[in-house]
């Protein structure tokens, strides 16, 4: 096996170990066992488990960019693509076994490396949302406004609709959430675009 293949094998093994044991409880012995190799072979590719963890987080960040690209390619530059990006991202974070395990560990043990990794993931997701909003503003699909505040407002709205609403009510489907977004938020965010449609 070449060096690249060995690195990928170790990363896959580390993912499985972190998912099963959490970051803090995972040892190099666990990773080596899942990778079916000795610890000496591990050190040919990585120095520490922290280094492997960083690679795994980097892979997660690339996935977020793919969510945005897929939404734009399928729905175009509009509110619907923004909606589907957020829903796909939220679903991924809620259902991904490794992500869920790391969130549990961060809350229970305050593991520094895990908290830093999750912060990177959350910040990147937020930055990706801002980039998508900027694109929508540049094409006229959204009214020009404070991008940081707009991204924050949309994030809080979707957090409430996706998770908090379901705590005391029947959960909303993605389609119902889009309807609420279009009803309560889109008229303000897309005011000039709405007026243009009326004039046509």
């Amino acid at each position: 096996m070449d060096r690249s293949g060995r690195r990928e094998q170790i990363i896959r093994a580390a993912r499985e170990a972190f998912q099963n044991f959490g970051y803090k409880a995972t040892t190099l012995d666990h990773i080596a066992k899942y990778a079916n190799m000795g610890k000496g072979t591990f050190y040919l590719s990585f120095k520490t488990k922290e280094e492997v963890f960083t690679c795994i987080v980097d892979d997660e960040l690339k996935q977020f960019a793919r969510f945005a690209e897929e939404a734009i390619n399928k729905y175009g530059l509009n509110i619907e693509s923004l909606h589907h990006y957020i829903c796909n991202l939220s679903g991924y974070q809620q259902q991904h076994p490794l992500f869920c395990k790391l969130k549990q560990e961060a809350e229970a043990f305050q593991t520094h490396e895990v908290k830093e990794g999750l912060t990177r993931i959350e910040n990147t997701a937020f930055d990706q949302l801002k980039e998508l909003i900027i694109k929508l503003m540049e094409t006229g699909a959204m009214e020009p406004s404070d991008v940081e505040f707009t991204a924050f407002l949309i994030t809080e709205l979707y957090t409430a609709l996706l998770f908090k609403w379901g705590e005391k009510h029947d959960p909303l489907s993605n389609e119902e959430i889009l309807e609420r977004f279009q009803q309560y938020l889109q008229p303000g965010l897309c005011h000039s675009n709405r007026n243009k449609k009326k004039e046509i």
Side-chain angles (χ1 to χ4, degrees):
M1 183 183 299
D2 61 19
R3 181 177 180 181
S4 176
R6 185 171 62 243
R7 281 179 62 89
E8 288 303 314
Q9 185 174 341
I10 292 171
I11 290 173
R12 287 195 299 271
R15 277 180 178 274
E16 186 175 357
F18 293 150
Q19 180 178 313
N20 290 335
F21 304 109
Y23 174 83
K24 188 174 183 179
T26 294
T27 65
L28 292 184
D29 287 326
H30 288 133
I31 298 173
K33 181 179 179 180
Y34 279 117
N36 195 28
M37 63 178 61
K39 282 199 297 185
T41 306
F42 172 92
Y43 285 119
L44 293 175
S45 299
F46 297 97
K47 296 179 181 179
T48 63
K49 73 173 182 178
E50 289 86 353
E51 189 177 342
V52 185
F53 182 66
T54 298
C55 289
I56 292 173
V57 171
D58 289 342
D59 286 343
E60 298 302 313
L61 303 187
K62 293 174 185 176
Q63 179 62 39
F64 294 169
R66 286 193 287 269
F67 282 143
E69 291 173 4
E70 290 168 2
I72 292 172
N73 290 337
K74 187 171 183 178
Y75 300 100
L77 281 169
N78 52 42
I79 290 297
E80 196 169 356
S81 64
L82 185 72
H83 163 78
H84 284 282
Y85 166 72
I86 298 172
C87 287
N88 287 338
L89 183 65
S90 298
Y92 183 76
Q93 292 177 329
Q94 289 296 313
Q95 299 169 18
H96 194 291
L98 176 58
F99 192 87
C100 293
K101 185 70 173 181
L102 294 176
K103 285 194 72 174
Q104 292 173 0
E105 179 173 338
E107 293 171 0
F109 304 110
Q110 301 292 309
T111 308
H112 176 71
E113 293 84 358
V114 172
K115 290 178 66 178
E116 280 199 339
L118 292 175
T119 297
R120 280 188 63 204
I121 290 173
E122 292 169 2
N123 288 345
T124 299
F126 189 73
D127 289 342
Q128 190 75 53
L129 176 60
K130 288 194 295 183
E131 289 181 16
L132 187 51
I133 290 171
I134 290 172
K135 290 179 180 179
L136 293 177
M137 291 179 179
E138 289 175 344
T139 59
M142 284 180 66
E143 183 81 5
S145 60
D146 185 315
V147 175
E148 184 86 14
F149 181 80
T150 302
F152 172 80
L153 181 65
I154 292 173
T155 298
E156 291 300 305
L157 173 65
Y158 270 82
T159 298
L161 294 179
L162 283 166
F163 308 116
K164 293 183 179 180
W165 175 264
E167 293 175 0
K168 296 183 179 180
H169 307 81
D170 291 334
L172 298 171
S173 67
N174 286 353
E175 291 73 20
E176 289 172 324
I177 291 174
L178 178 58
E179 289 176 4
R180 302 299 193 280
F181 183 90
Q182 291 171 326
Q183 179 180 2
Y184 294 105
L185 207 56
Q186 185 172 351
L189 293 174
C190 308
H191 180 70
S192 61
N193 192 45
R194 180 190 60 184
N195 288 342
K196 288 178 183 178
K197 288 183 179 180
K198 285 185 176 180
E199 293 170 0
I200 295 175

